[in-house]
């Protein structure tokens, strides 16, 4: 049982730790200290759903309907281009995100961004449903709950660590000049990831 738990934990950790658009968003919200724990909770709970779906048969969905992943990739690349443009625009103007918005509108915008970074991110589906689901197919049914528990642990530890690390570094990285650099890097990364997804679809 414990070997299944640590297998799930290590596999999910290896999939989730490489920097991507979701990780960058969580870290940046931590740096801004804008509902960063809510963002970490949202991303972790989404992983719980997708991992459970993948381990208990969700991978068959993409095998039966391969166009689903292509559609998600196209929508996700479009979102990343828009978000990347907004980041670069903020960096150029030197304005911090949501600086002039009301708290209610800010929270709504953050939740919508969480949804987009999660549900329009094809890597979430590939990591949790396709790879984890495919791996779990080789694990006995009674050991799968512990395998999922390990993956869930890795997700919660990672996202909350990112959010809290960002908040810890906020005194240095939340300065206007630092935020300009961060927004520039995230904007460029979004454009690069969008190009990668489009290449995956049309390449």
């Amino acid at each position: 049982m414990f070997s299944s738990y640590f297998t799930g934990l290590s596999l999910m950790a290896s999939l989730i730790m490489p920097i991507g658009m979701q990780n960058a968003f969580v870290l940046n919200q931590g740096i801004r200290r804008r509902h960063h724990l809510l963002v970490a909770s949202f991303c972790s709970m989404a992983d719980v759903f997708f991992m459970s779906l993948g381990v208990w048969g969700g991978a068959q969905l993409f095998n039966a309907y391969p166009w689903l992943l292509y559609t998600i990739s196209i929508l996700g690349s479009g979102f990343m281009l828009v978000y990347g443009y907004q980041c670069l625009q903020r960096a150029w103007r030197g304005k911090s995100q949501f600086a002039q918005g009301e708290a209610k509108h800010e929270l709504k915008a953050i939740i919508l961004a969480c949804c987009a970074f999660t549900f329009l991110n094809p890597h979430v589906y590939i990591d949790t449903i396709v790879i984890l689901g495919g791996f779990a197919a080789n694990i006995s049914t009674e050991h799968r709950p512990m395998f999922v528990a390990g993956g869930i642990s890795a997700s919660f530890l990672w996202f909350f660590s990112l959010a809290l690390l960002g908040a810890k570094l906020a005194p240095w990285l939340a300065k206007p000049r630092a935020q300009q650099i961060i927004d520039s890097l995230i904007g460029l990364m979004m454009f690069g990831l969008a190009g990668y997804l489009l290449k995956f679809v049309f390449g």
Side-chain angles (χ1 to χ4, degrees), residues 47-120:
D47 276 352
V48 172
F49 171 75
F50 286 126
M51 276 186 280
S52 300
L53 183 64
V55 169
W56 281 284
Q60 298 173 0
L61 182 66
F62 288 109
N63 291 329
Y65 305 100
W67 57 267
L68 278 175
L69 195 58
Y70 289 104
T71 302
I72 293 168
S73 298
I74 293 172
L75 293 175
S77 62
F79 170 76
M80 281 186 279
L81 288 173
V82 172
Y83 189 84
Y85 171 76
Q86 291 175 343
C87 287
L88 293 176
Q89 189 178 49
R90 282 198 308 270
W92 177 260
R93 294 179 178 178
K95 292 184 178 180
S96 180
Q97 188 177 20
F98 306 127
Q100 299 177 8
E102 296 180 2
K104 182 179 179 180
H105 294 154
E106 174 187 297
L107 178 59
K108 182 179 179 180
I110 290 174
I111 292 175
L112 288 174
C114 279
C115 291
F117 275 114
T118 300
F119 299 111
L120 295 181

Side-chain angles (χ1 to χ4, degrees), residues 13-35:
S14 67
L15 293 172
I16 200 174
M17 289 179 67
I19 193 65
M21 64 177 185
Q22 194 179 41
N23 290 340
F25 179 70
V26 174
L27 181 61
N28 200 30
Q29 291 306 119
I31 293 171
R32 296 173 184 274
R33 291 181 178 176
R34 295 181 184 273
H35 305 287

Side-chain angles (χ1 to χ4, degrees), residues 9 19 32 36-37 62 64 78-79 84 102 106 120 125 128 134 139 144 153-154 165 171 192:
L9 188 147
I19 193 65
R32 296 173 184 274
H36 53 293
L37 296 181
F62 288 109
F79 170 76
E102 296 180 2
E106 174 187 297
L120 295 181
Y125 298 91
T128 58
I139 298 176
R144 288 180 187 178
S153 299
L165 175 64

